[in-house]
Amino acid sequence: MADQEIQAVRALLSSQPRPVGWAQRRERLDAVASIDGVAADISFEQVRIGPCDAEWSLAPGSDASKVLLFLHGGGYCSGSIKSHRGMVSEVGRAAKVRTLALGYRLAPEHPFPAAIEDALAAFDHLLGLGIPAGSIAISGDSAGGGLSLATMLRLRDGGRALPGCAWLASPWVDLAMTGASMASKAAIDPLIHREYLEELAAAYLDGTSAVDPLASPLHADLSGLPPCLIIVGSAETLLDDAVRIAGRLGAADVSTRVEIWPEMIHAWPLWAKRLTAGRMAIASVGAFLHEHLSG
C-alpha cells in the first residue's frame, strides 16, 4: 500500500513540466503542495509581522497558549503560507497547539540574512504576546529546517531564551551540498537535485560563503540548543543533511531524535491526505511537540 501511495504522489509531481523562472516556480509549488486543501474545522487568521504576512491556525481543542512557529521550505526562493497550510494546520492539530506560519521574505529579492531577521521578528512577536519561549516550538521543512536552526543560533548567541523544542523536516543544512546522498539518491529523488540547489543557494547567499554557520548550520557550533526531532525520507538527496545534522546535534549534547521513513520523498507530509506515512509522521511530530512544550 505504501508503495502505491508514494508512486501516486510521484506521478502527481511529474505530471507537469518543471517550471522556469522564480514566478513560475513559486506558483507551481503553491499549487502542487496545496492541492488537497485544508480541513473545514480549522480556523485561520491573517496577521502582519513587519514586512511579512503570517497566519495563525487553530484546530478545535488545541491549547492557544502553546505555539508552533513554522518556517516553510522552498529553497529560500519559493514556498509560502499557502503551500504549507494543510501540513502546518494538521501538525498543530496533532500537537494540540496553535500555529503561526511565517511568509518570510524570499531570495533573490531578499537574500541572506533577510529570512533569519524575519524569523527572529516572528519569535519576538510571540514573546510580545506574552507567550513564554518554552511554550514555542520552531520548525520548518527543507530550507525552513535550516532557517529554524539559524534562528535558534542567533537567539543563543544573543544570550536569549530559546524555544522549547524544534522540529526539522527534510532539512537543508549544507548549502555547499557535500552530502554523499546528493549523488547516491539523485536517480530516485523526484524533487531535489544538485543543480537546482546550486541555483537556489547562489540566489540566497548572494556572495555569502556556503559554509557560513548561519547559512549552513551543519558547520555551526550547535551546543545549547533545545530538543530536536528530525524527519527525513530514505529517497531524498538531502538524506545525508538530516543524518549529519542529527549527528552534529547529538555530538553537541543536544537531545535529538531522527526518523528515516522508508520510500518517502522530500517533505512528504505535505501530501499526508494521500500518504499513510504522511499521517503517521504528523502524528509522531505532534506527540514530540506535545511532550516538549511547557506551560
Side-chain angles (χ1 to χ4, degrees), residues 17 22 61 88 128 145 161 166 178 185 249 251:
W22 301 121
V88 174
T178 61
K185 297 292 183 178
L249 286 161

Side-chain angles (χ1 to χ4, degrees), residues 86-202:
M87 179 179 72
V88 174
S89 58
E90 289 304 322
V91 170
R93 186 201 302 276
K96 295 181 169 56
V97 301
R98 188 163 48 151
T99 75
L100 180 66
L102 179 67
Y104 57 86
R105 291 172 292 169
L106 299 176
E109 298 92 335
H110 303 283
F112 175 90
I116 302 173
E117 300 297 338
D118 293 344
L120 287 167
F123 191 78
D124 285 340
H125 178 78
L126 293 174
L127 297 179
L129 295 176
I131 301 168
S135 296
I136 302 169
I138 192 167
S139 62
D141 67 309
S142 197
L147 180 55
S148 296
L149 286 166
T151 303
M152 291 191 291
L153 293 172
R154 281 282 303 272
L155 291 168
R156 182 204 63 190
D157 292 348
R160 302 185 53 195
L162 291 166
C165 62
W167 160 48
L168 315 173
S170 303
W172 187 25
V173 295
D174 176 22
L175 273 62
M177 277 78 77
T178 61
S181 60
M182 196 61 59
S184 64
K185 297 292 183 178
I188 61 172
D189 189 324
L191 288 172
I192 306 297
H193 299 96
R194 179 185 296 276
E195 295 77 9
Y196 176 54
L197 290 181
E198 288 174 343
E199 185 178 0
L200 297 175

Side-chain angles (χ1 to χ4, degrees), residues 67-69 123 132-139 145 147-157 160-168 221-230 245-246 248-258 288-289 291-294:
V67 177
L68 172 69
L69 173 59
F123 191 78
S135 296
I136 302 169
I138 192 167
S139 62
L147 180 55
S148 296
L149 286 166
T151 303
M152 291 191 291
L153 293 172
R154 281 282 303 272
L155 291 168
R156 182 204 63 190
D157 292 348
R160 302 185 53 195
L162 291 166
C165 62
W167 160 48
L168 315 173
D221 168 13
L222 300 169
S223 60
L225 297 188
C228 295
L229 169 64
I230 301 167
I245 198 65
R248 297 286 177 87
L249 286 161
D253 294 319
V254 176
S255 176
T256 305
R257 189 171 91 213
V258 60
F288 174 85
L289 299 176
E291 175 185 355
H292 287 94
L293 289 181
S294 63

